[in-house]
Amino acid sequence: MEHKLKVYNTLSRKKELFEPLNSPHVGMYVCGPTVYGDGHLGHARPAITFDVLFRFLKHLGYQVRYVRNITDVGHLEHDMDEGEDKIAKKARLEQKEPMEVVQYYLNRYHHAMERLNVLPPSIEPHASGHIIEQIEFVQKILDAGYAYESEGSVYFDVRKYNADHHYGKLSGRNIDDLLETTRSLDGQDEKRCSLDFALWKKAQPVHIMRWPSPWSDGFPGWHMECSAMGTKYLGEEFDIHGGGMDLVFPHHECEIAQSTAALGKETVHYWMHNNMITINGQKMGKSLGNFITLDEFFTGNHQLLAQAYHPMTIRFFILQAHYRSTVDFSNEALQASEKGLARLMDAYARLKRITPTKESSVEVADLRAKCEEAMCDDLNTPMVISYFFEVAKTINLVADGKATLSESDVTELKELFQIYLQDLLGLDLEGASDSSSDAYKGAVDLLLEIRKNAKENKDWATSDKIRNELTALGFNVKDTKDGYEWSL
Ligand code: ZN
């Protein structure tokens, strides 16, 4: 494979040349959502980051098996040792099957991802569908001597492991510092050491999600699913493991320990983490009142939002920052992104109308190489976007008759818009154009206004015709007490 893709490896703390184990095949695992609530911005960033990596690896000619899991069991309310599973709790409160709760939120998650133009992964395994694999994995760790059973639960023996390996290598911690910052055991504890984490938990009577195991009726610890499903679908060693930075410790640290303990080797070659999202400079959190779901962004239906934001604006905004930088959401920043994206899309529309001349008066020849280089430099999407802002200026000059472009340069630019903005950054160049979408929204609103007047005049034929035709075109029209609502 002819390329110089470098990715930043969280484990080595440097950019490394990407060399897959089994080229042209690439295995990539990304920690997916915990489905007990609606997707929010924190879900959108890893999905979009690793979607761009998925697209770029395929662009380079690799055959990528992309696994993104669904956490639907074992994610407890407080920490791994206390509390109730969040999905089970919701199911109990709403008198639903846990899988009903999971499916409901999963459908909504998929819908939001589709709107953000995030490609579906190759495999989307559920933790609850891989209990047998997880039990086998726990057994391997027990057999290797790095875990112990206590009161029907199984815990990872961090101190024993740390004597042979380094627990904390991913997050740059060491066991002594960790011991200082965790609470000490109270003597009643099932664990030998406060750092030990659950591989299998015995279910309390309140738990409705439970499975039989050699140790107890219970459920796997949260970290176990990714070790078990990653190695099941990608092998004992695979290329890339990704996720949000908040997962580095303890989740990914524990995954490394589990896999090393069970298999006697490191599973993952490149650990990649996207940085976090803040809202108006603050961390997102339910208690802070700034917890905005993706649906709320798309509809503008939240007190902190000045307007609705098109999914492509959200995607563009996220990609305007490098994935390892923080991103701060504010109305001003989103509105700037909305304008920026509109500028690029308008330039693309103008490009398609340009009449080429014999020769170009401007230089565009090195754009392809520059974009490729930026993407190869640990997915420098903001750099790629800045090149296209330059191109937009050139196109506008040409359109205004102040510069010229040859036929081959026009063709080259059209192709680069397609490859980099449309296919690799996943921006829908035609669909989200501000001016065109405003016009189209205006047209639908106009039709519905006419229908409202028709209804007031008891002109049911016209009113029904408009409604039926819009429905046939795929619109959802809903009558409300103030008039109407519609969506596509
Ligand atoms: Zn995970």
Side-chain angles (χ1 to χ4, degrees), residues 161-174:
Y161 175 82
N162 193 62
D164 302 330
H165 307 277
H166 174 194
Y167 180 76
K169 64 195 284 189
L170 184 68
S171 58
R173 295 164 204 233
N174 67 62

Side-chain angles (χ1 to χ4, degrees), residues 55 114-118 310-313 315-316 319 341-342 344-346 348 352 417-418 420-434 436-437 488:
R55 288 164 183 261
E114 207 174 295
R115 297 205 65 198
L116 290 166
N117 204 18
V118 169
H310 194 284
M312 282 302 110
T313 302
R315 184 169 178 119
F316 186 65
L319 294 175
L341 180 58
L344 294 182
M345 288 191 296
D346 287 345
Y348 182 57
K352 289 196 286 189
F417 264 94
Q418 278 297 327
Y420 283 93
L421 294 188
Q422 178 98 26
D423 299 343
L424 294 179
L425 299 197
L427 299 165
D428 184 0
L429 287 173
E430 325 264 351
S433 163
D434 237 40
S436 73
S437 76
L488 192 58

Side-chain angles (χ1 to χ4, degrees), residues 280-297:
N280 298 317
Q282 273 188 313
K283 237 183 114 172
M284 252 188 311
K286 283 217 161 91
S287 56
L288 294 166
N290 65 359
F291 191 88
I292 312 177
T293 70
L294 290 169
D295 265 358
E296 286 164 345
F297 272 104

Side-chain angles (χ1 to χ4, degrees), residues 406-460:
S406 70
E407 180 142 19
S408 63
D409 278 349
V410 169
T411 308
E412 170 77 353
L413 285 181
K414 278 187 203 161
E415 210 177 299
L416 295 181
F417 264 94
Q418 278 297 327
I419 295 175
Y420 283 93
L421 294 188
Q422 178 98 26
D423 299 343
L424 294 179
L425 299 197
L427 299 165
D428 184 0
L429 287 173
E430 325 264 351
S433 163
D434 237 40
S435 39
S436 73
S437 76
D438 279 349
Y440 133 83
K441 281 180 204 155
V444 178
D445 282 333
L446 178 65
L447 278 171
L448 289 171
E449 273 306 315
I450 296 172
R451 174 170 172 265
K452 199 173 143 198
N453 291 339
K455 268 171 60 182
E456 279 158 14
N457 297 329
K458 300 204 166 25
D459 177 1
W460 306 118

Side-chain angles (χ1 to χ4, degrees), residues 3 5-7 16-23 25-26 62 239 269-270:
H3 71 78
L5 171 60
K6 284 186 168 179
V7 294
E16 294 176 9
L17 188 65
F18 179 67
E19 294 174 294
L21 284 158
N22 184 26
S23 184
H25 301 279
V26 169
Y62 291 115
D239 300 302
H269 283 213
Y270 303 90

Side-chain angles (χ1 to χ4, degrees), residues 29-32 69 71 222-223 225-227 241-242 247 251-252 255:
Y29 186 96
V30 173
C31 290
N69 67 303
T71 298
W222 170 38
H223 314 307
E225 65 180 273
C226 292
S227 288
H241 193 317
L247 297 179
H251 185 51
H252 291 160
E255 259 189 63

